[in-house]
Amino acid sequence: MFPTTPSSPPPPGVYVSDDQSEVTSPLSIAEWLLGFHAEARKTRGCMEGICKEGEVLHVPSGWWHLVVNLSPSIAITQNFVPRAHLANALFFLRDKPQQVSGFKSDVNDPYDLFVTKLGERHPGLLQKGLLELNKLQASKKRKWEDIVGRAEDGGVERNGFSFGFGDDSEEDDESVP
């Protein structure tokens, strides 16, 4: 049995951090099924079904899903990264390694492994993905600089971000033990 819903909003009983780096559900699968399954089934776009022997299920990228084996089963899971999401996958593997799972214990750097293998098989695709990753990073930096200001912007100082306690007189610069 598998209930699945579109990527937004998260299913009832599932909580996502603001930066979407952490997903938590304070319940076991059995508790979630007993407490939230009926409500989740009412979620727009929710689908539920049963895969039989020899059938394959494709879960679209980003969709919430839960699999419950109704009888002894073997499941094979394969992740797929479409070209349009390659830069995001590279970012995730490189910048959020603590959230990467599913590798053998002897794989210390999943990002390096992914980049090496992709470069061996599809060097042009890797190059495009890395260029797009650099564009994403530059865009994020520009957004931050636009918010807080740059120290120098073509030789002209802008109003930057700062904070302090009290006024700017030196009399207020006491050490705090």
Side-chain angles (χ1 to χ4, degrees):
M1 177 180 79
F2 62 89
T4 180
T5 63
S7 58
S8 185
V14 176
Y15 306 96
V16 181
S17 65
D18 289 337
D19 67 355
Q20 298 182 347
S21 66
E22 293 186 38
V23 177
T24 56
S25 178
L27 308 167
S28 68
I29 291 174
E31 290 170 317
W32 185 88
L33 285 168
L34 291 171
F36 293 100
H37 180 235
E39 185 180 346
R41 292 177 85 181
K42 296 175 189 171
T43 303
R44 184 175 184 196
C46 179
M47 293 184 277
E48 188 172 276
I50 297 177
C51 280
K52 297 182 180 155
E53 184 178 336
E55 294 181 329
V56 174
L57 171 67
H58 170 76
V59 178
S61 178
W63 276 48
W64 298 100
H65 58 283
L66 170 70
V67 177
V68 177
N69 295 322
L70 302 175
S71 62
S73 304
I74 295 175
I76 299 173
T77 301
Q78 179 66 44
N79 289 320
F80 170 75
V81 177
R83 290 177 191 217
H85 296 265
L86 179 57
N88 292 326
L90 289 166
F91 169 79
F92 184 81
L93 288 169
R94 186 192 67 196
D95 294 357
K96 299 188 178 196
Q98 70 281 8
Q99 296 178 33
V100 176
S101 63
F103 286 91
K104 292 180 181 178
S105 61
D106 63 340
V107 175
N108 296 321
D109 188 352
Y111 171 78
D112 183 58
L113 177 63
F114 184 77
V115 167
T116 299
K117 296 297 184 182
L118 185 59
E120 289 171 2
R121 292 177 177 85
H122 303 284
L125 182 59
L126 174 61
Q127 188 71 5
K128 287 179 184 177
L130 292 171
L131 287 172
E132 185 62 29
L133 176 60
N134 289 335
K135 287 179 187 176
L136 284 173
Q137 285 182 295
S139 171
K140 288 179 183 180
K141 286 179 185 176
R142 279 194 307 273
K143 286 179 186 174
W144 173 251
E145 290 169 348
D146 288 343
I147 292 168
V148 301
R150 294 182 181 99
E152 291 182 27
D153 190 2
V156 177
E157 191 162 321
R158 297 176 61 192
N159 293 330
F161 173 83
S162 65
F163 79 69
F165 301 97
D167 62 23
D168 289 336
S169 68
E170 292 187 26
E171 295 172 8
D172 287 342
D173 290 341
E174 289 184 31
S175 295
V176 177

